[in-house]
Amino acid sequence: MKIDGTPWRTLWPIDDGRAVAIIDQTLLPHRFETRELHSLEAAAEAIATMRVRGAPLIGATAAYGLALGLREDPSDAGLRRARERLLATRPTASNLAWALRRIIPAVQALPEAQRFDAAFARAGALCDEDVAINEAIGDHGLGVIRDLLAARGDDGPFHILTHCNAGWLATVDWGTALAPIYKAFDAGIDVHVWVDETRPRNQGAALTAWELAAHGVPHDVIVDNAGGHLMQHGQVDLVITGTDRTVRSGDVCNKIGTYLKALAARDNGVPFYVALPGPTIDWALADGVRDIPIEERDPREVTHIQGLDEDGGVLREVRLTPPGVSARNFAFDVTPARLVTGLITERGVCEASEAGLLGLYPDGAFEAGAA
Ligand code: MRU
């Protein structure tokens, strides 16, 4: 996507293919800074601290992290160490393990001297694939928007609510849930986005609002609890979110609070769609609520908040709660398939069910067996 007319991706190779650079998302929207990753440890740190985040971008960064690990130690032991380190960063999104599964067997078959270059090239190919996948999600999602608009029968603003950030910052480019919105906006549809702030890390208020503004898409940031009220008053035509892991039954795991939006959408007859790339599907699991590991992060993300001190122009963290309070920080929740109107994938739109997913991904049955 473009920032001030310049095209950007969220990570890109540097140093003649010996390292990568990222946009440091912990500083957005207040400061736009890039950061170089020269080692496995730097890549793992960037994922764990959410300098990069969003399921597809976590996978892409892990792919490069694996390559950087092989530059440091191309042995089988080095490969195992890199894999373990990366898998320990964030447990919920499928894409991280998927990216490693994609690359490890291919490089392990090579002599040690060739492993780094091969892994780095494969990470680059995986990034290009992510961009193509997300653009295709945008095209299929645009079809959903056009159908809903036609059924509504007027050409007033089309209001879409989204949760967290599933835009280009969460992927290599385009985004998943925001890709259909960009496509609709570019096609001249009068689209307006309700942006959930997404406590505690505020990916909506900070990241989604920033990227929608950069593209010129009309939007309003709302507090996380406002969505139900807006739906009751006919102010939401469609909810689209991303997902970190989708199991074979069609249950979807996404940023904490997504489930409550799905409940409110069902109560108000608002279509609730989830946009996902194939690599987010975990074919080995069937019951999302029971089986998906939910990341629990540092309670400090709940008790404290970061923002720009407009007096000094500096980023500051301030405490929200009484000192010493006990807090818990569950990062994701699971929305059961029965609450999901449809899944928007790079291969088309399907029902949130095993039959729906297998209709688009007949190879999924094989992957489940291989997992
Ligand atoms: O904790 P985050 O910011 O990595 O969570 C991101 C989300 O929940 C996204 O909706 C999800 O990864 C899909 S991104 C295309």
Side-chain angles (χ1 to χ4, degrees), residues 181-225:
I181 293 172
Y182 290 128
K183 289 276 180 180
F185 178 79
D186 291 348
I189 294 173
D190 184 6
V191 69
H192 165 267
V193 186
W194 295 114
V195 179
D196 279 356
E197 60 175 349
T198 319
R199 283 282 293 145
R201 287 193 62 115
N202 298 305
Q203 290 95 327
L207 304 177
T208 300
W210 182 78
E211 56 167 280
L212 289 175
H215 200 88
V217 181
H219 61 281
D220 288 285
V221 176
I222 53 174
V223 296
D224 286 332
N225 297 325

Side-chain angles (χ1 to χ4, degrees), residues 309-332:
D309 180 341
E310 291 186 314
D311 276 345
V314 285
L315 286 180
R316 281 199 204 294
E317 190 181 72
V318 294
R319 182 159 48 76
L320 293 169
T321 57
V325 80
S326 171
R328 300 283 297 272
N329 186 7
F330 304 98
F332 298 96

Side-chain angles (χ1 to χ4, degrees), residues 50 53-56 58 90 163-167 170-171 175-177 203 242-244 254-255 295 332:
M50 296 175 63
R53 26 69 49 206
I58 291 170
R90 297 196 70 190
H163 192 67
C164 195
N165 172 264
T171 64
T176 56
Q203 290 95 327
T243 166
D244 287 81
N254 192 50
K255 182 53 53 193
E295 176 180 14
F332 298 96

Side-chain angles (χ1 to χ4, degrees), residues 271-342:
F272 181 95
Y273 280 84
V274 175
L276 65 131
T280 302
I281 306 169
D282 184 341
W283 293 99
L285 302 185
D287 183 329
V289 175
R290 190 191 59 201
D291 297 336
I292 298 178
I294 300 295
E295 176 180 14
E296 191 169 347
R297 295 184 61 83
D298 190 339
R300 193 175 171 87
E301 294 179 351
V302 176
T303 57
H304 291 67
I305 196 163
Q306 176 183 275
L308 184 74
D309 180 341
E310 291 186 314
D311 276 345
V314 285
L315 286 180
R316 281 199 204 294
E317 190 181 72
V318 294
R319 182 159 48 76
L320 293 169
T321 57
V325 80
S326 171
R328 300 283 297 272
N329 186 7
F330 304 98
F332 298 96
D333 62 24
V334 174
T335 300
R338 65 175 183 278
L339 297 177
V340 179
T341 310

Side-chain angles (χ1 to χ4, degrees), residues 6-291:
T6 306
W8 285 85
R9 283 186 173 188
T10 50
L11 85 170
W12 58 95
I14 55 169
D15 286 356
D16 290 329
R18 296 188 62 75
V20 281
I22 58 165
I23 298 167
D24 186 345
Q25 300 191 22
T26 59
L27 304 176
L28 288 173
H30 310 297
R31 292 215 304 259
F32 182 87
E33 284 184 19
T34 63
R35 187 180 179 94
E36 298 187 353
L37 308 179
H38 289 273
S39 64
L40 163 67
E41 191 45 42
E45 189 269 352
I47 297 170
T49 60
M50 296 175 63
R51 296 185 198 282
V52 288
R53 26 69 49 206
L57 182 55
I58 291 170
T61 310
Y64 275 119
L66 185 81
L68 295 172
L70 286 170
R71 200 181 58 161
E72 292 154 7
D73 178 355
S75 68
D76 282 356
L79 192 57
R80 269 197 305 278
R81 209 167 21 250
R83 177 178 177 276
E84 295 313 314
R85 177 69 186 100
L86 291 162
L87 284 175
T89 53
R90 297 196 70 190
T92 299
S94 295
N95 309 54
L96 196 161
W98 171 85
L100 300 182
R101 278 201 308 275
R102 255 296 186 80
I103 296 179
I104 288 175
V107 297
Q108 205 160 19
L110 297 173
E112 288 186 6
Q114 295 173 20
R115 287 181 175 179
F116 164 64
D117 284 334
F120 202 89
R122 281 176 182 271
L126 188 142
C127 288
D128 291 342
E129 189 184 350
D130 181 66
V131 177
I133 284 176
N134 297 328
E135 184 167 9
I137 289 173
D139 289 329
H140 293 299
L142 173 60
V144 171
I145 292 172
R146 284 196 197 283
D147 288 350
L148 289 170
L149 252 180
R152 208 183 63 179
D154 68 78
D155 56 5
F158 188 81
H159 299 286
I160 302 176
L161 184 143
T162 191
H163 192 67
C164 195
N165 172 264
W168 71 270
L169 288 170
T171 64
V172 180
D173 203 351
W174 277 103
T176 56
L178 294 196
I181 293 172
Y182 290 128
K183 289 276 180 180
F185 178 79
D186 291 348
I189 294 173
D190 184 6
V191 69
H192 165 267
V193 186
W194 295 114
V195 179
D196 279 356
E197 60 175 349
T198 319
R199 283 282 293 145
R201 287 193 62 115
N202 298 305
Q203 290 95 327
L207 304 177
T208 300
W210 182 78
E211 56 167 280
L212 289 175
H215 200 88
V217 181
H219 61 281
D220 288 285
V221 176
I222 53 174
V223 296
D224 286 332
N225 297 325
H229 163 75
L230 290 168
M231 292 182 209
Q232 284 176 326
H233 289 270
Q235 291 293 304
V236 182
D237 294 294
L238 166 67
V239 180
I240 311 184
T241 74
T243 166
D244 287 81
R245 195 184 293 224
T246 303
V247 298
R248 58 187 297 134
S249 60
D251 295 347
V252 293
C253 180
N254 192 50
K255 182 53 53 193
I256 193 80
T258 303
Y259 171 48
L260 292 177
K261 293 296 134 52
L263 285 172
R266 174 55 54 94
D267 193 42
N268 290 283
V270 173
F272 181 95
Y273 280 84
V274 175
L276 65 131
T280 302
I281 306 169
D282 184 341
W283 293 99
L285 302 185
D287 183 329
V289 175
R290 190 191 59 201
D291 297 336

